[in-house]
Amino acid sequence: MIHFNKLTPLDYATYLPYFENQRYCLCAYSLSSIIAWTNTEYIPLGAEYEGALVVAAEFETVKKNRHLLLPILPERMFTPEELVTVAELAGHAEYWFVPETYVNHFGEGAVGRHFTITHQGAYDDYVYRVDDLARLKGNRYSKKRNLINQFQRDYVDPGKVAIDFINRDNALECLVFLEAWCQEHDCDADDQVDLSCEKQAAINTLNHFDVFDLKGILLRIDGQVNAFGISAPLTRDMATLQYEKAFGSIKGLYQYFDNACARMLFNGFTYLNKESDMGVPGLAKAKQSYHPFKMVRSVKLILKS
């Protein structure tokens, strides 16, 4: 049997070596994200096995959602046969958030002998070139540049805007803004489960910002936080934009701030992962409007009897 322990912010430094130069391009493989998404429903667990970290997700009420991630270690990938062994020892039947590249590497036939392969379309990640979003060159970004110019004229040029890096001292301002942002977007409505969970994850992240290996910026207008963004390293050449919140009522703010995030939070990385759209049509449209360089498809592996 594999014996799991609950993952908490105090475990971050202990398990971080498993994630250095890890190979999976889906945002689910960010250690800070795994830990921060803890809430009353989702509990992340971890165990060391054969030189790898095995992460399990347990759920308080919706037991059918319990799953494993692919074992995490920089040196190699576990074979499909090894995944069967891990699942059986862990008492699990499903792997979620498996990059399709894993299936391509070992072959659909080899993986399919042991698992049923199902596409998780709502959890495909949007990946962009950092340079594209930092420079916004070409006709396809002309509308974005126009909105940025309007925000520049109305807010930046008059001296109303200031951008700072997030730290332990100003994280509370982001929490206050987050509450206001969630009122604007009705995060706590019954049909907004994903937004409600993301809100709690953002709260957990900001409350432990000095523990996690993260970079973040906030934007103030007339001294009040109106946007914040937080990035986390994922692979050797890719980082995620784990959170990006800005008031939608201020014209051009989101476009201006998104460009600032690309310029200030992704130095040294080639690719920017904006995570998935969670099946929300409006979010999908917004992410598509920035012309992703590629999509990273997420699949579910269900152990065959």
Side-chain angles (χ1 to χ4, degrees), residues 129-147:
R129 292 185 187 273
V130 172
D131 189 64
D132 287 344
L133 299 195
R135 301 176 69 185
L136 296 176
K137 294 180 64 177
N139 291 334
R140 63 181 181 172
Y141 292 116
S142 60
K143 290 182 179 179
K144 308 293 185 190
R145 293 197 303 272
N146 288 339
L147 287 165

Side-chain angles (χ1 to χ4, degrees), residues 45 59 63 94-95 137 194 261 270 279-280 303:
L45 307 175
F59 291 79
K63 302 295 185 182
E94 298 185 6
Y95 289 90
K137 294 180 64 177
D194 285 333
C261 286
T270 304
V280 179
L303 190 64

Side-chain angles (χ1 to χ4, degrees), residues 172-189:
L172 178 60
E173 294 179 68
C174 295
L175 289 170
V176 173
F177 158 75
L178 181 63
E179 287 296 333
W181 185 91
C182 276
Q183 288 181 18
E184 180 182 83
H185 293 266
D186 204 11
C187 291
D188 296 322

Side-chain angles (χ1 to χ4, degrees), residues 63-82:
K63 302 295 185 182
K64 65 183 179 67
N65 284 345
R66 63 193 303 266
H67 61 268
L68 298 170
L69 297 182
L70 292 178
I72 300 162
L73 73 171
E75 294 81 13
R76 67 181 186 89
M77 292 186 283
F78 274 43
T79 66
E81 291 76 18
E82 289 177 304

Side-chain angles (χ1 to χ4, degrees), residues 7-276:
L7 294 174
T8 72
L10 295 177
D11 298 310
Y12 181 82
T14 300
Y15 293 117
L16 185 60
Y18 289 101
F19 291 81
E20 292 177 357
N21 296 322
Q22 73 86 20
R23 65 188 67 227
Y24 301 125
C25 292
L26 284 173
C27 64
Y29 293 89
S30 162
L31 178 58
S32 58
S33 181
I34 290 169
I35 295 173
W37 275 76
T38 302
N39 53 52
T40 56
E41 174 64 12
Y42 159 73
I43 304 99
L45 307 175
E48 295 172 297
Y49 173 79
E50 295 292 324
L53 176 65
V54 179
V55 175
E58 293 291 349
F59 291 79
E60 189 66 30
T61 57
V62 188
K63 302 295 185 182
K64 65 183 179 67
N65 284 345
R66 63 193 303 266
H67 61 268
L68 298 170
L69 297 182
L70 292 178
I72 300 162
L73 73 171
E75 294 81 13
R76 67 181 186 89
M77 292 186 283
F78 274 43
T79 66
E81 291 76 18
E82 289 177 304
L83 292 187
V84 172
T85 300
V86 170
E88 291 174 343
L89 290 175
H92 278 261
E94 298 185 6
Y95 289 90
W96 286 24
F97 310 118
V98 176
E100 191 178 45
T101 51
Y102 175 89
V103 177
N104 295 340
H105 178 82
F106 288 102
E108 190 170 340
V111 178
R113 277 196 294 272
H114 305 285
F115 298 94
T116 300
I117 305 167
T118 305
H119 181 213
Q120 295 179 292
Y123 299 104
D124 292 345
D125 279 2
Y126 292 75
V127 174
Y128 308 80
R129 292 185 187 273
V130 172
D131 189 64
D132 287 344
L133 299 195
R135 301 176 69 185
L136 296 176
K137 294 180 64 177
N139 291 334
R140 63 181 181 172
Y141 292 116
S142 60
K143 290 182 179 179
K144 308 293 185 190
R145 293 197 303 272
N146 288 339
L147 287 165
I148 289 171
N149 289 336
Q150 289 181 54
F151 184 81
Q152 178 88 28
R153 180 195 64 213
D154 296 339
Y155 293 92
V156 180
D157 291 346
K160 297 180 177 182
V161 173
I163 295 179
D164 289 314
F165 284 98
I166 297 174
N167 55 48
R168 182 171 54 186
D169 296 328
N170 59 29
L172 178 60
E173 294 179 68
C174 295
L175 289 170
V176 173
F177 158 75
L178 181 63
E179 287 296 333
W181 185 91
C182 276
Q183 288 181 18
E184 180 182 83
H185 293 266
D186 204 11
C187 291
D188 296 322
D190 290 341
D191 61 346
Q192 296 284 8
V193 175
D194 285 333
L195 268 183
S196 179
C197 290
E198 187 190 30
K199 173 188 175 183
Q200 185 58 54
I203 292 170
N204 293 340
T205 300
L206 288 164
N207 281 335
H208 298 92
F209 197 81
D210 56 337
V211 176
F212 297 137
D213 183 25
L214 303 172
K215 291 175 65 177
I217 57 173
L218 58 81
L219 181 147
R220 296 186 183 91
I221 298 177
D222 293 329
Q224 298 294 317
V225 173
N226 277 244
F228 77 84
I230 297 174
S231 71
L234 188 61
T235 68
R236 184 172 296 168
D237 60 359
M238 183 184 298
T240 67
L241 189 54
Q242 284 189 341
Y243 309 103
E244 184 181 29
K245 307 297 181 190
F247 283 135
S249 56
I250 301 175
K251 191 171 185 179
L253 169 59
Y254 179 85
Q255 291 76 18
Y256 180 88
F257 186 68
D258 187 81
N259 179 247
C261 286
R263 289 185 287 104
M264 299 177 68
L265 297 180
F266 294 87
N267 294 329
F269 293 98
T270 304
Y271 301 106
L272 187 164
N273 183 321
K274 283 199 176 188
E275 306 194 341
S276 70

